Amino acid sequence: MTTRHVILGNGPAGVVAAEQIRKQRPHDSIVMVGAEPEPPYSRMAIPYLLIGKVGEKGTYLRKDPDHFKRQNILEVQARATRLDTKGKVVHLDNGQQLPYDKLLIATGARPISPPIPGVKLPGVYPCWTLENARQIIELAKPGSRVLQMGAGFIGCIIMEALALRGVKLTVVEMGNRMVPRMMTEGAGSMIRDWCIAKGVNVHCSTKVEAIEQGGKPAGLMGKIGAALGMGGVQSSDAPLLAKLSNGETLECDLIISATGVKPNLDFLEGSGLEVDQGLLVDDHMQTNVPDVFAAGDVAQVRDFSTGQKTVNMIQPAAADDARIAAQNMMGLGTETQGSLAMNVLDTLGLIAASFGQWWGSDTGQSVELVRKESFNYLRLEFEGDVLIGATSLGLTDHVGVLRGLIQGKIRLGEWKDILLEDPTRLMEAYLACAQSQSTWKLPSNSLQH
Ligand SMILES: Cc1cc2nc3c(=O)[nH]c(=O)nc-3n(C[C@H](O)[C@H](O)[C@H](O)COP(=O)(O)OP(=O)(O)OC[C@H]3O[C@@H](n4cnc5c(N)ncnc54)[C@H](O)[C@@H]3O)c2cc1C
């Protein structure tokens, strides 16, 4: 008997799950639904699109236009509007109804607009979809005045692309440092100093309180450049004014809103599925309703470090969850080890990483190494003789080792005290302790997602 698999969402989680099922179940039916009018693509590739390193096709998850047809995976472009878990049917906005035996919800997340006047004006965009990338490319010309609201994970990742486009960049962040929800105070402050040294105008502990239309056109140089066809600022018909909580008013040609995202759960109202910050799943990626699974940015999964359920919105976690969900949709009983917080970001060339319980534990010990002049930073968090979390800046060699020690829950024994004295001896500690204890292998390129 064949099974009808329906997959809602065609981002990395949806695609990985669909392909995994097809590999092992050649005769099952697989329908993959995506709400955006684009082939399946990777949001991670958007910064590369912004700097022209890839064209739009370069962001597509699968380059062959017939890939899914060849795999006998039916693609439907529509938005799921309602889920009837009793009747096992998904309702779509094109009027179609999709019956399923096994359902995967992989609808990802969407940006949250801060509740400030003017946030919907033309010229204010998030950087989340391919459509947003087109809007940004249109307005972020050399010499354009760009204000970025928010300096979280996505905000930091796109700064490099904006800087390379030659814009005059200002970043306004509510927290007292950059990436406040992913990095320690020491690391976040150092990233701020790095950005300032690179010519970005950074305001921390500051809010944009209102946006209005009516600033003056961009500077003369930009206009002359545009007139000469040099790709300078071309249109400043509707420049914007951003009013900041520190009393300043900034004129901008583009405002990028990078103030956070939330899982796409609205269509699940009345479905009986348990939601919290995300869609709650067990270690099999199954929701509280049989035959309904979730993976990726939409799912709230057990955290590897804390055991609490958490949304971990990074692409490697989406792909890992999707593989596990797919196995269980086929009845193969695979479990997650828990989702490891693993944030690696490149802010204008400064590589920052935080892993596991980077904020530490009340009962643990920690050590912090700060080298301000060279923008090097390392903080290790221990519980007993096990490394439970870490934050690093500018120390790319250590990234794989940190992950290995944390994910392998390696007992460090006497090496813990050595590391408390000199945290840079991580590689030695790894070699001395990890090889014999862990089944987890150091990845060959630990910076790759
Ligand atoms: C600019 C940018 C840079 C990033 N860089 C990195 C990085 O360097 N490293 C990293 O790990 N992560 C990065 N991320 C995050 C990463 O892209 C996400 O974690 C990843 O896309 C999650 O995959 P997903 O499949 O769960 O969701 P998504 O990729 O969001 O895909 C979900 C899909 O579901 C569709 N959908 C939504 N609602 C419905 C509905 N009701 N019905 C049908 N379809 C629906 C959406 O349109 C979308 O196509 C970045 C994100 C952005 C925006």
Side-chain angles (χ1 to χ4, degrees), residues 9-13 35-36 43-44 80 106-108 127-128 154 296-297 314-316:
N10 61 354
E36 289 172 55
R43 305 195 191 286
M44 254 178 90
T107 47
C127 181
W128 193 251
I154 302 298
D297 283 3
I314 52 171
Q315 188 159 320

Side-chain angles (χ1 to χ4, degrees), residues 142-200:
S144 305
R145 301 153 302 177
V146 178
L147 186 151
Q148 183 182 296
M149 292 191 281
F153 183 57
I154 302 298
C156 283
I157 284 172
I158 60 176
M159 277 173 65
E160 169 105 349
L162 293 170
L164 286 171
R165 291 187 67 81
V167 306
K168 288 186 196 144
L169 183 60
T170 299
V171 174
V172 176
E173 164 59 46
M174 230 166 68
N176 65 350
R177 59 189 192 270
M178 314 275 284
V179 257
R181 285 191 295 275
M182 282 189 181
M183 297 279 155
T184 59
E185 182 142 10
S189 305
M190 209 179 257
I191 298 175
R192 179 199 57 212
D193 295 345
W194 172 267
C195 293
I196 292 170
K198 294 275 169 188
V200 179

Side-chain angles (χ1 to χ4, degrees), residues 34-254:
E36 289 172 55
E38 326 280 358
Y41 70 93
S42 167
R43 305 195 191 286
M44 254 178 90
I46 288 176
Y48 301 98
L49 176 64
L50 293 180
I51 56 171
K53 205 167 178 179
V54 298
E56 288 201 5
K57 280 195 183 136
T59 68
Y60 296 170
L61 285 164
R62 302 294 174 259
K63 307 297 183 247
D64 171 3
D66 291 329
H67 173 82
F68 294 103
K69 206 190 268 174
R70 273 192 234 286
Q71 296 249 327
N72 196 17
I73 294 169
L74 179 67
E75 291 184 271
V76 174
Q77 196 216 302
R79 182 172 290 278
T81 49
R82 192 163 72 82
L83 171 61
D84 171 3
T85 45
K86 292 209 171 71
K88 295 185 109 176
V89 175
V90 180
H91 296 254
L92 304 181
D93 64 355
N94 62 4
Q96 215 180 330
Q97 297 185 5
L98 290 176
Y100 64 85
D101 298 313
K102 305 281 176 185
L103 176 69
L104 177 66
I105 297 170
T107 47
R110 66 170 183 277
I112 311 169
S113 287
I116 54 174
V119 79
K120 301 273 183 234
L121 282 171
V124 185
Y125 304 113
C127 181
W128 193 251
T129 61
L130 267 185
E131 179 55 21
N132 296 148
R134 292 176 198 125
Q135 292 161 328
I136 291 170
I137 287 169
E138 182 64 27
L139 292 174
K141 306 283 184 190
S144 305
R145 301 153 302 177
V146 178
L147 186 151
Q148 183 182 296
M149 292 191 281
F153 183 57
I154 302 298
C156 283
I157 284 172
I158 60 176
M159 277 173 65
E160 169 105 349
L162 293 170
L164 286 171
R165 291 187 67 81
V167 306
K168 288 186 196 144
L169 183 60
T170 299
V171 174
V172 176
E173 164 59 46
M174 230 166 68
N176 65 350
R177 59 189 192 270
M178 314 275 284
V179 257
R181 285 191 295 275
M182 282 189 181
M183 297 279 155
T184 59
E185 182 142 10
S189 305
M190 209 179 257
I191 298 175
R192 179 199 57 212
D193 295 345
W194 172 267
C195 293
I196 292 170
K198 294 275 169 188
V200 179
N201 186 14
V202 181
H203 297 273
C204 287
S205 306
T206 309
K207 286 184 198 171
V208 175
E209 292 190 325
I211 301 169
E212 292 169 7
Q213 234 152 11
K216 288 192 209 77
L220 193 60
M221 287 315 288
K223 296 194 99 186
I224 293 170
L228 296 174
M230 288 163 60
V233 179
Q234 286 174 14
S235 163
S236 292
D237 293 342
L240 299 158
L241 290 173
K243 305 215 158 172
L244 310 190
S245 57
N246 63 7
E248 274 186 63
T249 298
L250 299 178
E251 289 187 349
C252 327
D253 302 294
L254 166 67

